[in-house]
Amino acid sequence: PGTGKTTTVSAGVQLHVEAGHRVLLVAPTNRALDVVLLRVAERLRHDSRFERGPVLRVGSDASADLQTHVGE
């Protein structure tokens, strides 16, 4: 904890999305994925491409915080 993994990964995802690339993000647990996706959602909240909802999350239900940012 506290080493900057989430910040680093979310920054990388942000850079690729802003460059117009598609990103596949995987994690060992649904919770870990939700934490990173929430951070990505916060970073890209003003990006019009992100507002159109190009996020596909596969797995069990997303956390309530994540659903608020990217929908169900």
Side-chain angles (χ1 to χ4, degrees):
T3 60
K5 295 179 295 290
T6 301
T7 300
T8 301
V9 171
S10 63
V13 170
Q14 177 185 10
L15 289 173
H16 283 284
V17 168
E18 289 174 345
H21 301 144
R22 296 171 70 179
V23 178
L24 172 64
L25 181 62
V26 296
T29 66
N30 291 326
R31 178 68 185 140
L33 184 62
D34 287 352
V35 168
V36 174
L37 283 178
L38 183 57
R39 185 73 59 88
V40 169
E42 291 168 355
R43 288 176 164 275
L44 295 175
R45 68 183 174 271
H46 299 297
D47 188 309
S48 62
R49 292 167 297 200
F50 191 73
E51 290 174 4
R52 289 193 303 257
V55 175
L56 173 63
R57 183 191 176 282
V58 178
S60 62
D61 292 341
S63 69
D65 288 339
L66 185 59
Q67 288 177 5
T68 299
H69 282 81
V70 298
E72 294 186 34

